[in-house]
Amino acid sequence: MAKKIDRGLENREIVLDVLLEVLEKGNFVHLVLNQALKKYQYLEKADRAFITRVTEGTLDALNQMDDVINRYSKMSTQKMKPVIRNLLRLSVYQILYMDRVPDSAVCNEAVKLAAKRHFAGLKGFVNGVLRTIARNKETIVFQDPWVELCLPEWLYKMWFFEYGGERTAAMARSFLKEGATTVRVKPEKIEEAMESLKKQGVTVKEEPLFPGILYLKNYDYLESLDAFQNGWLQVQDLSSALVGKLAPPQKGSLVLDVCAAPGGKSLHMAELMMGSGQVEAQDVSDRKTALIEENARRGGFENVVCRTWDARVLDESMVEKADLVLADLPCSGLGILGKKPDIKWRMSPEQMKELEALQREILSVVWRYVKPGGRLVYSTCTVNPGENQKNAKWFEESFPFEPVDLSGRLGPDFGEESLKNGWIQLLPGIHPGDGFFISVFRKKEQ
């Protein structure tokens, strides 16, 4: 007789393993979670949705989880065994934020999982802490604003100083909302794609500010959608797609994207040139360039070539060849915490300083690829002025470039105050789309 599978226990064990990989071993949640969901593709859609929700939710509110556990446990989370620490975290998230899961079930499954992972001696501890939290959950209040907003203290204070309390709260809360997958659709395929998606039961919302940007919900796997398989869709956020609005390439141009993976902007540029010209998409590893090649092949883009290249190293063969250089550079990622919540717990002010220096190192090389009169776009997916406005100002002062007046290229929803100076800082929760910085420069003729 086949042994009956405890699906609730299995789901929670998958979450536990993902959290251990991310929080204890330093791996990236989007990679680990995607690998787990592919490995357990046989699970029902509802099970995989549960795994995703608990994983991402626990990471979103990690400091809240630790704050609550530390109130009702005699041992702090930092002194606990990693398995117990993360088992309590994922269980407390369910107790506080998932009303459909009975607290008794959460406690029982946690106890069983502790035993299964060879911590039977701590079953009473796990049970006692969780049941005490469940009894007191209605009275739990977070005193510190950064804990309430699920931000590290240093990041809350940095944003409060830079943007004020109201904007900081709006940004932080935007990361905690349930997100949708944002895709850009080939212009000639919008109606076909919409019809196909709806036929497959996908909830589709159009972005009114940018025709061709869609928000998708309630689908199983992106790869299972006919519109994706047919190459009509490319995953790309609205903010990233705005690069094409602010710096559209002319037909027949040579566009060089120096840190291109996964290729959203490269393919958008190829699309805007309607098959003419050439986009060279570069990145530092074969794994990354293979991902771009896969997306280009699926989309049928014949004017895209991929090459593995370290952007810090000058390619003499490309000097003054490019009409447009895209430099969307490695950054702290503070504008996309809703998609990658682990970033806020692994990032630090010291790392941000290192990234600012890396960006300058790359910019010091790639400006040489731009033809006289050509353009360079410097962009990031962060909201840190040191990586954005300050580095853009440094670039203008250091090399023979001038900012491009971008006035009138975006609507009032994005504000116009900085566009005349050649840049825009998009703030999550304030502007549509992810937190993103875009600056556009023209190389002087001499």
Side-chain angles (χ1 to χ4, degrees):
M1 183 176 177
K3 185 178 179 182
K4 186 178 179 181
I5 296 173
D6 185 337
R7 194 64 74 199
L9 184 66
E10 183 181 21
N11 292 345
R12 289 167 174 85
E13 187 166 24
I14 294 168
V15 175
L16 176 61
D17 285 334
V18 172
L19 292 178
L20 288 169
E21 284 290 321
V22 174
L23 295 174
E24 308 299 335
K25 296 182 181 179
N27 293 312
F28 295 103
V29 67
H30 65 289
L31 298 178
V32 179
L33 184 57
N34 285 343
Q35 288 169 358
L37 293 175
K38 285 182 180 178
K39 180 179 177 181
Y40 298 100
Q41 194 167 357
Y42 61 82
L43 291 174
E44 296 290 334
K45 181 180 176 182
D47 292 318
R48 284 183 275 116
F50 174 87
I51 291 165
T52 301
R53 166 87 187 274
V54 178
T55 300
E56 293 181 343
T58 302
L59 288 169
D60 266 333
L62 189 65
N63 58 349
Q64 288 189 358
M65 301 303 99
D66 286 0
D67 181 276
V68 172
I69 294 166
N70 290 337
R71 292 187 204 186
Y72 297 102
S73 167
K74 293 179 180 178
M75 180 183 290
S76 72
T77 54
Q78 292 309 308
K79 293 182 179 180
M80 294 176 186
K81 298 287 187 183
V83 167
I84 298 302
R85 173 166 56 235
N86 290 289
L87 176 56
L88 288 176
R89 285 167 169 169
L90 72 91
S91 301
V92 172
Y93 177 77
Q94 295 168 72
I95 290 170
L96 295 186
Y97 292 115
M98 297 182 71
D99 293 338
R100 292 185 181 180
V101 183
D103 294 343
S104 57
V106 174
C107 298
N108 292 338
E109 295 293 342
V111 169
K112 286 192 279 186
L113 188 48
K116 185 178 179 183
R117 300 305 282 262
H118 310 295
F119 288 96
L122 293 176
K123 289 195 301 182
F125 171 74
V126 169
N127 188 54
V129 171
L130 293 179
R131 291 193 182 278
T132 304
I133 291 171
R135 283 197 302 271
N136 291 279
K137 68 178 182 179
E138 302 300 335
T139 64
I140 291 174
V141 176
F142 300 108
Q143 300 295 335
D144 296 319
W146 51 88
V147 178
E148 181 190 355
L149 294 170
C150 302
L151 292 175
E153 182 178 356
W154 69 266
L155 181 56
Y156 173 83
K157 290 180 176 178
M158 185 182 84
W159 281 354
F160 189 93
F161 175 79
E162 190 66 39
Y163 301 111
E166 190 175 329
R167 285 193 160 194
T168 296
M171 289 194 288
R173 290 184 178 122
S174 75
F175 298 135
L176 303 176
K177 293 178 181 176
E178 184 185 358
T181 301
T182 311
V183 297
R184 179 178 45 77
V185 188
K186 286 185 174 182
E188 70 275 16
K189 295 293 184 181
I190 291 178
E191 288 186 15
E192 252 182 295
M194 291 277 288
E195 184 180 341
S196 175
L197 289 166
K198 289 176 180 177
K199 189 179 292 184
Q200 288 190 269
V202 183
T203 302
V204 184
K205 180 183 175 185
E206 296 182 76
E207 171 53 68
L209 302 174
F210 197 120
I213 292 286
L214 304 178
Y215 301 104
L216 311 183
K217 284 186 176 182
N218 301 321
Y219 62 90
D220 200 356
Y221 278 95
L222 191 66
E223 293 83 357
S224 70
L225 300 178
D226 294 337
F228 183 85
Q229 293 176 8
N230 293 336
W232 303 340
L233 311 180
Q234 173 63 38
V235 175
Q236 186 177 22
D237 190 77
L238 169 66
S239 299
S240 172
L242 291 178
V243 171
K245 276 208 169 212
L246 294 175
Q250 297 181 347
K251 287 184 181 179
S253 293
L254 173 59
V255 178
L256 176 61
D257 192 346
V258 298
C259 295
K265 283 181 285 298
S266 296
L267 302 189
H268 193 194
M269 292 295 166
E271 185 178 279
L272 290 170
M273 292 194 293
M274 300 180 181
S276 70
Q278 180 174 293
V279 177
E280 179 163 317
Q282 300 179 353
D283 220 302
V284 72
S285 71
D286 291 339
R287 180 184 63 80
K288 289 189 172 185
T289 51
L291 180 60
I292 305 167
E293 285 177 337
E294 179 187 332
N295 284 326
R297 184 166 53 249
R298 182 176 50 79
F301 292 101
E302 296 183 359
N303 58 338
V304 176
V305 297
C306 299
R307 189 155 68 105
T308 301
W309 191 267
D310 187 335
R312 297 171 296 179
V313 179
L314 179 68
D315 179 2
E316 296 282 358
S317 70
M318 288 297 292
V319 172
E320 294 197 345
K321 295 286 179 65
D323 298 285
L324 174 62
V325 168
L326 302 181
D328 187 66
L329 300 188
C331 72
S332 57
L334 299 179
I336 56 171
L337 299 183
K339 294 184 172 80
K340 300 179 180 180
D342 53 321
I343 289 176
K344 59 187 172 184
W345 310 120
R346 70 170 78 241
M347 189 50 59
S348 69
E350 294 74 28
Q351 286 177 289
M352 286 164 59
K353 288 293 181 187
E354 292 172 6
L355 286 163
E356 290 169 25
L358 174 62
Q359 291 152 2
R360 292 188 180 197
E361 182 182 359
I362 294 173
L363 289 169
S364 297
V365 172
V366 301
W367 73 268
R368 295 187 59 187
Y369 303 143
V370 185
K371 289 179 179 179
R375 291 166 299 157
L376 179 142
V377 175
Y378 170 53
S379 60
T380 73
C381 58
T382 192
V383 291
N384 168 30
E387 298 172 80
N388 295 344
Q389 295 92 321
K390 290 180 183 177
N391 266 356
K393 184 171 174 29
W394 168 84
F395 180 78
E396 181 187 347
E397 292 171 348
S398 303
F399 304 106
F401 284 79
E402 58 189 3
V404 175
D405 186 347
L406 303 172
S407 301
R409 299 195 189 186
L410 301 178
D413 294 274
F414 298 96
E416 289 279 323
E417 61 274 8
S418 63
L419 285 169
K420 64 179 180 296
N421 297 319
W423 60 270
I424 185 167
Q425 174 68 73
L426 301 166
L427 300 177
I430 309 296
H431 301 106
D434 288 336
F436 213 83
F437 176 80
I438 306 169
S439 55
V440 184
F441 298 91
R442 180 182 294 109
K443 190 174 184 181
K444 296 175 182 177
E445 295 288 347
Q446 291 184 332

